[in-house]
Amino acid sequence: MARSSSTLGLASAAAFLAVGAYTDAFTVPSQSQRSISAAPSLLTNSSSRHISRPAASFTSLAVLSKEQALHTAERLAGMSRGEIQHIFEDLDADGSGSIDLSELDLLAKYFPGETFTPEIRAKLMKEIDTDGNGEIDAEEFYQWMVVNAKSDGSADSKGTKQMQMRQARLEVGKDGIDPHLMELLDELGVGAVVQKVTHPLHSAFGRTLYDHFVSCYLISKEWGNPEFVAVANLFHALYQRGDGMRAVDFTEYRPKLQEKLGKDVEQLIYLFPSAHKSALLADGILMAPIGEDIEVPNVLEGGMVTIPKDLRPYLVDMEVINSHDQHVLENSNPVHNLWSFYQHATVLPIMSEGARESIIEYQKRGAGATVADVLNWHESRFAESGKEVPELWQKHLELFRAPDGKFVCVEENMKRLADKDGDGEIDWDEFVSADFQQCFV
C-alpha cells in the first residue's frame, strides 16, 4: 500500500483508526522481507492486463483431491462455483446451456481492464472450449475461470462483478509438498478428523482437517509468505482448533515438532490458538495497535502469552488464511462483509498483499452497511439461538455500540475530520493529518 498514492474508502479508513491512533506504527516487514524463502512457490499467479496463457485445463494433484484443489483455487480466485455459474448464465444470452463465440463477447464487461479484440476472443474460445465442439459448456467455463480469473471485489454501476485476468494460469500445488511434511500429517492422523464450523460465516464444506491444513499451506505460499510460515499454516490448528478440540497433546508434541519442523515453525503453531482466540478482542491479534508486542490469554496453558511484534504479521496472515479457506465466498450480504472488514482492517498494513486483497474485498462488498447494522445482526442471531451472548462476544460488540463504541465514533467523524476535499475518498495525506484522538479517550 503506497503512501503517496493510495486512497481509502470511508469505511476502510475508519477501521484503520478504530483501535488506536497510529504514529510510526506503520514500519512493518516489506513484501520482499516476507518472501525470503528459497523454496519454489507451490502456486503460480500474477495479475496482468494481458491475455497470454497456456491451455487452461485444471490438473488434479496428489496433495489434494481434485475437488479440494478446486476449493483452494476458488479461494485464490475469490469466486465460488455458484458465482461463476451465475456469470455463465449471464453470458448464455439465448439460454441454450452453452456459450458460442458471439456470446463470449459479453465477457468483456466483467474484465474492464482487458481489450477483447476478435483475435483475443477467438483465442479464448479455443482455450476454454477444451472438447473442441465450438461451444463452451458450464463445466468448461468454470474450469477456465477458476484458474485464469480473479475477483476484483467490486461491481460496476449496473452491479456487474469486476475481475482481473491472470497472466499465468493458477496451478494449485504444482510442485507438491515436501514428502516428510506429508508423512508427518499422515502420522498425526489429521485425515480422519472432520472439519467443523467455528465461525458464523464459515461452512465445513464436507472436508477433513487434512484438506484444510493443506489448503492453508498452499494459500500461504501463493500469498508470498516465507517457507517457515507456510509450514506453520500446514499444522496451524494442531494444538487446538477453534472449537477447543486438540488433535495432539501439545506438551508431548512441542519438543517433537521443534525437532522435526524447527523452533521458528513450532513457535507459530504454539502461538496460533491463543492468537486466534483473541481475534474478537480490541487488544487481540487483529485489533490491537500495531508496532508493539502484545499479550493475549494463553488458551493452552493459562495466564498470558506474548506475541512478538516481528511475528505478529505472520500470525495475522495465518488468521486470515484460516478464515479465508473456510469462508462462504458467495456471501454478498453487506452487513456480514462490513463486519469481516472491520475485524481485520487495523492490521491491513502488516498483511501480505494476498491477505490484504481478500480483506479489501470485504470492504467493497460491505458498501451501504453501518456499524449499527453489524451490531443488530449479531444481537439478533444470538437472540434467535436462545442463548446468552458469551462474554467474549459482549466485549467485541461493544466496539460497535453507540454512543461509546470505537467504530461508532470513527464512522461518525470520519468524513468531517478526514475527507477535506469532499470527494468521498481519503488519500494518505488526509488520513495522517486528521486528528481522531477523541475516539480513543
Side-chain angles (χ1 to χ4, degrees):
M1 182 175 292
R3 296 186 181 187
S4 60
S5 61
S6 60
T7 59
L8 307 171
L10 295 180
S12 177
F16 264 124
L17 293 161
V19 275
Y22 304 129
T23 53
D24 295 327
F26 288 97
T27 303
V28 297
S30 67
Q31 192 63 21
S32 61
Q33 289 173 309
R34 296 185 63 96
S35 307
I36 59 176
S37 172
S41 173
L42 298 190
L43 299 110
T44 303
N45 163 34
S46 57
S47 297
S48 173
R49 294 304 185 185
H50 305 286
I51 303 175
S52 178
R53 290 173 306 280
S57 60
F58 192 94
T59 304
S60 180
L61 297 143
V63 295
L64 286 173
S65 68
K66 182 174 182 180
E67 178 185 5
Q68 291 301 325
L70 287 169
H71 172 97
T72 302
E74 288 179 11
R75 263 91 211 124
L76 292 167
M79 295 181 290
S80 68
R81 180 181 282 272
E83 290 177 303
I84 294 173
Q85 177 64 26
H86 177 76
I87 296 170
F88 174 83
E89 292 172 358
D90 181 45
L91 301 185
D92 180 19
D94 61 6
S96 65
S98 62
I99 299 170
D100 59 27
L101 183 60
S102 64
E103 291 172 321
L104 190 61
D105 193 43
L106 299 174
L107 190 61
K109 65 182 179 181
Y110 290 96
F111 294 93
E114 306 290 351
T115 301
F116 281 74
T117 64
E119 293 77 18
I120 287 177
R121 289 200 305 274
K123 181 179 179 180
L124 285 175
M125 187 71 188
K126 183 178 180 180
E127 186 177 315
I128 304 172
D129 177 26
T130 55
D131 65 7
N133 69 350
E135 296 183 332
I136 299 169
D137 62 33
E139 186 61 23
E140 288 174 325
F141 186 71
Y142 168 75
Q143 294 273 345
W144 180 85
M145 283 282 288
V146 77
V147 295
N148 288 291
K150 186 177 180 181
S151 172
D152 190 38
S154 60
D156 65 14
S157 59
K158 297 181 180 180
T160 301
K161 187 177 183 69
Q162 303 295 276
M163 296 179 289
Q164 302 171 14
M165 287 284 190
R166 294 183 184 275
Q167 183 180 26
R169 179 171 64 94
L170 178 68
E171 297 182 77
V172 177
K174 72 180 181 68
D175 294 322
I177 298 178
D178 190 309
H180 93 273
L181 297 176
M182 299 296 286
E183 291 170 4
L184 183 55
L185 285 173
D186 185 57
E187 175 187 329
L188 294 169
V190 296
V193 181
V194 177
Q195 182 70 351
K196 293 185 178 180
V197 177
T198 59
H199 186 289
L201 297 182
H202 286 176
S203 170
F205 298 106
R207 307 167 78 206
T208 67
L209 198 58
Y210 168 89
D211 296 325
H212 176 52
F213 280 4
V214 171
S215 185
C216 287
Y217 173 90
L218 298 176
I219 293 172
S220 182
K221 293 287 290 186
E222 169 68 6
W223 284 358
N225 280 296
E227 177 68 11
F228 83 96
V229 179
V231 174
N233 272 279
L234 190 59
F235 300 94
H236 67 275
L238 192 64
Y239 291 160
Q240 182 167 304
R241 297 194 321 190
D243 60 0
M245 177 181 174
R246 297 181 178 182
V248 300
D249 181 349
F250 76 92
T251 59
E252 175 187 354
Y253 270 85
R254 287 207 72 184
K256 294 181 180 180
L257 293 186
Q258 286 171 358
E259 179 181 356
K260 289 178 178 289
L261 303 175
K263 291 185 177 180
D264 288 345
V265 173
E266 194 280 331
Q267 184 180 15
L268 289 175
I269 298 170
Y270 175 78
L271 289 173
F272 180 76
S274 299
H276 174 68
K277 200 69 173 180
S278 75
L280 295 177
L281 299 177
D283 55 358
I285 186 69
L286 296 181
M287 290 184 282
I290 57 179
E292 300 177 356
D293 295 348
I294 63 172
E295 287 196 344
V296 299
N298 188 329
V299 302
L300 296 178
E301 300 188 77
M304 304 295 287
V305 65
T306 298
I307 295 178
K309 62 182 179 182
D310 60 325
L311 293 185
R312 189 177 174 193
Y314 302 129
L315 286 161
V316 165
D317 254 47
M318 290 173 69
E319 175 65 22
V320 174
I321 290 167
N322 174 62
S323 176
H324 188 62
D325 181 62
Q326 303 172 82
H327 205 82
V328 180
L329 292 174
E330 59 267 24
N331 181 16
S332 59
N333 186 304
V335 177
H336 299 179
N337 283 291
L338 184 64
W339 173 61
S340 293
F341 174 75
Y342 270 117
Q343 273 189 284
H344 299 88
T346 299
V347 287
L348 278 169
I350 62 174
M351 292 179 186
S352 66
E353 186 63 29
R356 186 179 300 123
E357 288 179 0
S358 72
I359 301 305
I360 291 296
E361 182 155 344
Y362 291 138
Q363 190 259 349
K364 293 176 179 178
R365 293 189 180 204
T370 67
V371 293
D373 296 330
V374 172
L375 178 65
N376 291 336
W377 166 51
H378 281 300
E379 290 188 328
S380 65
R381 70 183 184 86
F382 280 114
E384 291 169 3
S385 72
K387 299 178 181 178
E388 293 186 7
V389 181
E391 182 181 359
L392 179 67
W393 276 95
Q394 290 178 20
K395 293 179 180 179
H396 180 65
L397 294 185
E398 288 306 309
L399 298 170
F400 298 88
R401 192 182 306 280
D404 300 322
K406 293 178 181 179
F407 290 126
V408 175
C409 175
V410 174
E411 182 179 73
E412 291 176 347
N413 289 284
M414 177 57 64
K415 187 170 184 178
R416 178 175 61 84
L417 293 173
D419 186 22
K420 293 181 173 58
D421 58 13
D423 65 353
E425 298 285 347
I426 299 169
D427 62 31
W428 186 257
D429 290 336
E430 289 176 324
F431 178 75
V432 297
S433 65
D435 181 9
F436 296 94
Q437 292 292 336
Q438 62 176 300
C439 292
F440 312 115
V441 175

